[in-house]
Amino acid sequence: MLDPLSISAVTAVLGAVGASMANEAGRWAWESVGGLTRRAFGREVPAPTGAAEREQLAGRLVARAQADPAFALELSAWLNGNAGAGTYRPAVPRALPASVRFFTDRREALKQLDQEADRKPDGRPRVAVLHGPEGIGTSTLAVHWGAREIRRFPDGQLYLDLRGGALGTSPTPTALLRRLLLDLGMPADTVPLGLDDRLTAYRTALADRRLLLVLDHAQSAAQVLPLVTSAPGVCTVVVARRPLTGLDAVGVPVGPLSGKDATRLLTELAGRQAVGAAKATLPALLARCAGSPFALRAAAPYLATVPAPRVGEADAAQVAVEDAYGRLSPEAARLYRLGGLRPWAAIGPELAHAVGEFADAGELLAELAEQRLLEPQRDGRYRYRPMVRAHAEQAAVRQDGLAAGAAAVRRAVESLLHFAVRADHAALPQRWHLGPLYRELGRGEYESPGAAVAALSGELGNLLEAVRAAGEFGWHDLVCQLVEALWALQLKAAGHDLLLPALRAGVRSAEAFAPGTDLAGRMHTQLSFALVESKKYDEAETELMAAAEADRAAGHLRGQATAVESLGLLRLRQWRFTEAYDCFEEADRLLGGITEGDRGRADVPRARALLRRHRGRALASEPARAVEQLELALSWFREHGDDYNTARTLTNLAEARLAQGRPAEAAVAIEEALVLLGRENAALHLPFLHALRERASA
């Protein structure tokens, strides 16, 4: 019999499992306790959606366990199998970019940062905002201080770049929290799905750490506030162009370097001999740079040729950009302009070649970086500063014209689409496709499906920007093809919150470009998948209904069956098992209507085997019927060498056998599943199976 204090334990594990549904094991455990709850009370109980409902359900489960020793054993086994949900080995992140070699002045700003970091813990967050115009060195100052104070923060240094093309395209708090949790050591497939759960996990992870968080290129207080914590050992440094209204923080203004410090920086950068040789023009150069570190660094290699300041010039950084642009070769200048038409996450030789069909794109990129018009990234590609990109975009409109600019953007979008299709095809070679490029291009050459997914993940920022660009230009067919090519990322790399804007764009484009078609059905289905994984269940249901209707109108039975099956899987999440079963029956009926020669015919046998497993899961309160369905599914997966789905079905079968009171048969299924999952390196599934093994041997 469970101790009454176990209510808190059950509540805690319910919360941890609910937060861990980003991976198969978490979904498995959540569904399992739903079936256990249904058996305990003899009827369906809605899945809890918040802390209060979890605690209420825990109280009911514990009360039932106190009255029924057999159920107490089941509940204990479930707790034991999931007690470690959400736990991980913390990492010590060192995420700060490299500091600069030459750093001058900023004594007062450094002193203010020291004072805020040294402030006695009193429950108030330690937050400082470094603010100043672009190019004045705010980001450099934050990174330099973090590098200097590494011993002050033994548990790590976190860094996030919050910039976006505009505030509306900046990373969301949910996406930023995912990045931070990954850096703190949480495995990707255990990062909680919802914003609230991620906030809880983040704040818990930082509660007893001495750690620095640098938030670079912040645009608003609303963007920063979810990431600020009152943990006594955490210091947050925000970098912005201006003070952030609404954020309680120590303001640290960063202004121009003094004449003395500007000369010192130039001397360190160019050398005493070069500065001495330019003594006659040095005053004019210093006046032109106006104490801007960016302008000084850009001017250092050209001390003898930088012209005197013109009347009315105010922004030294902008002047430095214009000077650098004037030094470019014609082809580098054209790449600079066309590449700056969109806020690409990173530009490498492939994308640079696409925008202007440049034969020597790599050399041109190096020329732009040499002039400090592009910033090198860790992966060997480059990125524009916002200020520099704005200049490039204006120059492109002025010198190349709107038609040439649109053509350059389209070439870039199409290049990214070709990459994405080939990588997605390699990552999921067996799934059915709609876009014509899958047939034309075939699979990309990757050493494994995992390598293809990794390639897609590395290009995700540019792919999302390509979707935005195609949507803005009204290229609806390209939007839909790009979104379809994100499917492998949805299934295998999570990050659904990052994909949601693109998936919504896919639905808008499909409804504008091809309503009532299989393409519209695919777009609605993909959006619904991300909504389910983001726990937006009501909206997901609406999208699935729209998907089923679009595929029905198009006569696409395979797509319609997928939409109905997906609705059944949503019902399992909600513990609405009877409705889930009905959905799986309807999906199977639809598959039965696909005849020889129809699209999707080759996929029907596997799809029907999966539906049998799903039906077995939905029959958790009727173990005899569940066993019948699960054994049919098991036979197909074994025959076709699908070890992973064989193991998953064996686990479901073991649960059903235990519910029947047949532990010996359950034990046989458990042992086989353990062997198969061990081969698959599916470690997250093993604790649940070990708990089932204990129940079977009790």
Side-chain angles (χ1 to χ4, degrees), residues 557 561 586-595 601 604 608 611:
L557 290 175
E586 172 64 11
D588 193 62
R589 185 191 67 77
L590 290 166
L591 289 174
I594 299 176
T595 59
R601 173 66 179 174
V604 168
R608 300 189 93 166
L611 284 170

Side-chain angles (χ1 to χ4, degrees), residues 344 416-417 419-420 455-457 459-468 482 485-486 489 502:
W344 302 113
L416 288 163
L417 172 60
F419 156 78
L456 284 165
S457 296
E459 200 65 84
L460 178 58
N462 281 339
L463 292 173
L464 296 180
E465 180 55 36
V467 172
R468 277 194 291 268
L482 280 162
L486 297 175
L489 282 175

Side-chain angles (χ1 to χ4, degrees), residues 228-407:
V228 173
T229 173
S230 296
V234 175
C235 182
T236 302
V237 176
V238 181
V239 178
R241 299 280 72 84
R242 62 190 184 285
L244 299 180
T245 304
L247 178 66
D248 290 341
V250 172
V252 183
V254 181
L257 295 174
S258 67
K260 177 181 178 182
D261 286 309
T263 302
R264 180 183 172 190
L265 180 59
L266 271 179
T267 303
E268 290 176 334
L269 291 166
R272 290 185 180 277
Q273 185 174 354
V275 171
K279 186 175 181 179
T281 59
L282 191 60
L285 183 145
L286 291 172
R288 189 177 183 85
C289 293
S292 165
F294 174 82
L296 290 162
R297 290 177 180 277
Y302 308 99
L303 295 184
T305 59
V306 173
R310 295 186 293 268
V311 176
E313 287 183 350
D315 190 325
Q318 288 284 0
V319 171
V321 171
E322 188 66 40
D323 286 345
Y325 176 59
R327 289 191 288 265
L328 294 174
S329 66
E331 281 292 88
R334 190 168 73 91
L335 172 56
Y336 167 76
R337 297 192 302 271
L338 298 180
L341 284 168
R342 302 296 303 186
W344 302 113
I347 297 181
E350 296 81 5
L351 187 58
H353 170 76
V355 296
E357 300 176 317
F358 297 100
D360 51 354
E363 294 180 11
L364 297 177
L365 288 170
E367 182 180 345
L368 294 176
E370 184 180 348
Q371 293 296 331
R372 307 187 69 81
L373 293 172
L374 290 179
E375 295 178 301
Q377 303 297 293
R378 284 182 291 184
D379 62 1
R381 295 185 293 176
Y382 302 88
R383 189 174 187 178
Y384 287 86
R385 286 172 172 263
M387 167 190 69
V388 176
R389 195 189 75 78
H391 175 270
E393 185 176 22
Q394 292 165 7
V397 172
R398 189 170 59 249
Q399 295 181 239
D400 301 293
L402 296 177

Side-chain angles (χ1 to χ4, degrees), residues 112-119 125-128 145 152-153 156-158 206 209-215 229 231-238:
Q112 289 180 268
L113 290 174
D114 288 341
Q115 288 174 342
E116 180 65 3
D118 288 336
R119 181 167 53 79
R126 289 191 175 97
V127 188
W145 183 74
R152 189 194 294 271
F153 303 108
Q157 299 162 316
L158 295 166
L206 295 186
R209 294 207 194 191
R210 293 168 58 196
L211 182 142
L212 171 66
L213 170 63
V214 175
L215 302 175
T229 173
V234 175
C235 182
T236 302
V237 176
V238 181

